[in-house]
Amino acid sequence: MKVELVAGDIVRRKADLLVVNLFEGTVKPGGATGAVDAAVGGAISAAIADGDFKGEFGEALMLRPGKGIGAPRLMVIGLGKKEKFTADHSRQVMLTILRAAKKCKAKTVATVLHGVGEGGIDPVLCARFVALGGILSNYDYDLYKAEKAHRVSTLLVVENDRNRAALAAGGLKKGVLLGEAINWARDLVAAPPADMRPDALAKAAKTLAGGKVTVTVHGKKELEKMKAGGILAVGRGSEIPPRLIVAEYRGGKKGTPWIALVGKGVTFDTGGISLKKWEGMDRMKYDMAGGAGMLATLKAAAALGIPLNVVAVVPAVENMPSGTAFRPGDVLRTMSGKTVEVLSTDAEGRLILCDAITFARERYSPAEMIDAATLTGACVVALGSVAMGLMGSDANLVSKLRDASAASGEKAWELPLHEEYFEQIKSDIGELKNIGGGEAGTITAGYFLKEFAGETPWAHLDIAGVAWREKERMGYAAGPTGAPVRLLVEYLERASAGR
Ligand code: BES
Ligand code: ZN
Ligand code: ZN
């Protein structure tokens, strides 16, 4: 989809669908909405007066004015209460708009910026979120459909004020690049598990190489040399051996320290010998969402030219039961030298991440390290599909991630890593065990990883509840969301600005 910023009057803009907006409680529309209302003979104010349309958040009024504007269809989108409106709402309304556009097979959509002016959102920021929402909402995974989904080919973002339009163009471009990186991740995550085994994930990662990005894939032999006992054990049950994917983006000046992003890349999680029940097991094709997200964050950082050095480390494995699979009771010697007693082969994420964290620490001595993983079902119980879990060993890093979360609209909520939780993961036969018993499952998983992060400032994002959606919600279509790319790109942008 082409996304363009055009300075001028939306009334005369030629399109298949024209979109303006309204805050809840507005009686007499002003600005662009007022101008369009006048051009169509007061059809919008009449709908408001008759109570057909209130401007509630996400509410849509569809009109066929016949004449007066450059489009056959006119949509007024509700922005809800002015006091509650944030930049992320500008993204969310785009899903309603694009859904309507797809329904009427519109090729060209012209919209105003939702939230500038009356809404008080900065035009650069608003343009970024509108473009991002447009790109994300035009996405469909239709590889296996004979009839392909309709896609909008041009999104015109129309701004009357020339100065504002000039400013907004920069934000728009960034939103497009970010959205494209996220959709790239969504394609990987949505792929059926037979199409996305460790070799396929490595191949996809290699497409990122070029410019300032290099990608190295370590195979089984190298993992053996590195003594990656965790990754090797989890991967042992599959016909496709594990990989360790390492993508480097050198956007920083010489001597800039690394930021390490570690992502769980379990291409399918059957649970292994501790086999999961059949119901919902198909969802475990999403278990590489953290890995795809970290690669996509690096892709976005490169596309945006963020002046930092970023390394993404993704252990890719398929967790399968077989005659060669690892077992409950096994004791693994991890890359760090620490031994881990396996009590469930289904708590496999931490077993591969601990080696990836050690690898990142030893090879890159990163200034900061963040991991993302669909790590625990307990996180879905605790936070649902609204917020991801956030934990960390470094208060400053956690606080920066909280700020990035607020600014990006991708919600994250902190859980504590009190020392007392360590009790639950102490092993009798080795140093650690890979499950912490019934209580505080998200925290004990996080605590396990902390043991491998050592002195490196580290934070962990448990994205089990937010990596995909069962149903459309919060401006996300059903399927993979691309979390936590938006949060992390925001964090990187802030870090490059010294914040
Ligand atoms: N990939 C799962 C976690 C998961 C569950 C993600 C549901 C998304 C939705 C992980 O590998 C797992 O199986 N965790 C176990 C850990 C337990 C055995 C300690 C879990 O959460 O049940
Ligand atoms: Zn598992
Ligand atoms: Zn898993």
Side-chain angles (χ1 to χ4, degrees):
M1 181 170 63
K2 263 200 314 199
V3 184
E4 277 172 41
L5 204 111
V6 276
D9 186 359
I10 194 159
V11 173
R12 265 161 269 291
R13 192 54 51 186
K14 288 252 171 309
D16 300 314
L17 173 68
L18 198 146
V19 187
V20 289
N21 59 40
L22 197 82
F23 277 107
E24 193 175 334
T26 310
V27 182
K28 181 103 194 71
T33 311
V36 169
D37 185 39
V40 298
I44 301 173
S45 30
I48 301 168
D50 291 348
D52 294 1
F53 184 67
K54 295 191 178 62
E56 282 168 8
F57 186 71
E59 188 188 358
L61 175 70
M62 266 295 208
L63 297 169
R64 303 267 325 203
K67 56 181 191 308
I69 56 169
R73 292 179 181 83
L74 171 63
M75 181 177 187
V76 190
I77 184 86
L79 299 184
K81 295 206 167 63
K82 215 178 286 175
E83 322 79 77
K84 280 197 169 176
F85 197 83
T86 66
D88 190 53
H89 288 98
S90 328
R91 171 193 66 82
Q92 294 191 33
V93 294
M94 292 308 288
L95 185 62
T96 313
I97 294 167
L98 269 282
R99 207 198 309 101
K102 286 180 193 174
K103 201 171 156 200
C104 67
K105 303 240 183 318
K107 279 280 165 204
T108 302
V109 177
T111 179
V112 292
L113 283 166
H114 306 288
V116 294
E118 253 192 289
I121 309 286
D122 167 65
V124 184
L125 197 66
C126 190
R128 176 182 176 129
F129 278 79
V130 165
L132 172 68
I135 296 280
L136 294 181
S137 305
N138 203 32
Y139 171 88
D140 264 293
Y141 188 78
D142 56 8
L143 187 66
Y144 286 97
K145 295 250 195 214
E147 198 178 321
K148 300 301 178 197
H150 173 81
R151 286 187 175 83
V152 172
S153 49
T154 309
L155 177 66
L156 302 172
V157 180
V158 187
E159 171 53 54
N160 209 1
D161 182 314
R162 285 190 179 274
N163 289 334
R164 236 191 230 159
L167 282 173
L172 198 83
K173 183 86 191 113
K174 287 189 178 174
V176 169
L177 295 173
L178 178 57
E180 283 169 350
I182 293 174
N183 284 347
W184 179 80
R186 290 164 93 191
D187 265 341
L188 302 185
V189 178
D195 293 359
M196 191 48 64
R197 298 175 89 184
D199 51 345
L201 184 56
K203 198 170 157 213
K206 283 204 163 159
T207 66
L208 297 181
K212 294 178 177 171
V213 178
T214 54
V215 181
T216 314
V217 176
H218 301 286
K220 192 171 159 223
K221 279 216 174 72
E222 286 129 307
L223 286 165
E224 279 164 357
K225 237 185 278 157
M226 293 175 201
K227 299 190 163 48
I231 298 172
L232 286 164
V234 178
R236 193 166 294 139
S238 170
E239 273 178 358
I240 307 291
R243 307 283 199 283
L244 183 63
I245 303 164
V246 184
E248 290 178 357
Y249 162 61
R250 288 171 201 265
K253 288 200 211 75
K254 236 189 148 162
T256 311
W258 290 97
I259 292 179
L261 305 175
V262 178
K264 174 174 174 180
V266 176
T267 63
F268 193 59
D269 182 12
T270 65
I273 296 298
S274 314
L275 194 64
K276 287 182 181 294
K277 67 171 192 294
W278 68 270
E279 237 177 338
M281 197 199 278
D282 58 297
R283 304 295 197 273
M284 287 298 118
K285 72 173 184 179
Y286 296 138
D287 217 17
M288 32 61 76
M294 289 322 202
L295 294 168
T297 301
L298 187 126
K299 180 180 166 76
L304 294 168
I306 298 176
L308 289 174
N309 290 344
V310 184
V311 58
V313 179
V314 179
V317 303
E318 188 181 38
N319 189 20
M320 296 292 261
S322 80
T324 56
F326 76 131
R327 324 155 185 77
D330 282 351
V331 177
L332 315 177
R333 195 171 290 282
T334 63
M335 195 188 289
S336 67
K338 278 193 185 15
T339 54
V340 179
E341 179 187 9
V342 177
L343 289 174
S344 167
T345 62
D346 196 12
E348 83 297 340
R350 64 199 80 181
L351 299 176
I352 63 169
L353 289 170
C354 67
D355 281 348
I357 287 170
T358 304
F359 177 90
R361 246 165 74 73
E362 289 180 350
R363 303 279 175 114
Y364 293 89
S365 307
E368 289 177 329
M369 172 158 57
I370 303 162
D371 79 74
T374 45
L375 203 62
T376 64
C379 194
V380 192
V381 176
L383 299 173
S385 56
V386 173
M388 62 188 89
L390 163 64
M391 284 142 270
S393 61
D394 185 81
N396 181 41
L397 176 57
V398 168
S399 137
K400 286 194 286 184
L401 289 170
R402 241 196 271 116
D403 292 346
S405 161
S408 67
E410 216 158 49
K411 294 184 168 53
W413 196 258
E414 193 184 359
L415 298 172
L417 293 179
H418 300 305
E419 234 175 78
E420 286 83 347
Y421 291 107
F422 184 57
E423 276 304 302
Q424 286 175 244
I425 52 169
K426 249 195 231 157
S427 164
D428 292 332
I429 188 169
E431 269 89 56
L432 295 164
K433 55 186 183 189
N434 79 331
I435 61 174
E439 299 175 351
T442 302
I443 293 174
T444 51
Y447 206 108
F448 181 98
L449 298 178
K450 181 174 95 69
E451 289 301 293
F452 296 86
E455 299 302 308
T456 305
W458 158 88
H460 161 60
L461 301 171
D462 193 329
I463 59 169
V466 298
W468 77 90
R469 303 219 156 238
E470 293 294 332
K471 280 194 293 235
E472 182 179 308
R473 193 182 176 196
M474 290 163 73
Y476 297 102
T481 59
V485 179
R486 281 196 291 138
L487 188 160
L488 291 175
V489 171
E490 180 72 35
Y491 152 78
L492 291 175
E493 287 179 321
R494 285 163 175 260
S496 74
R499 285 186 287 161

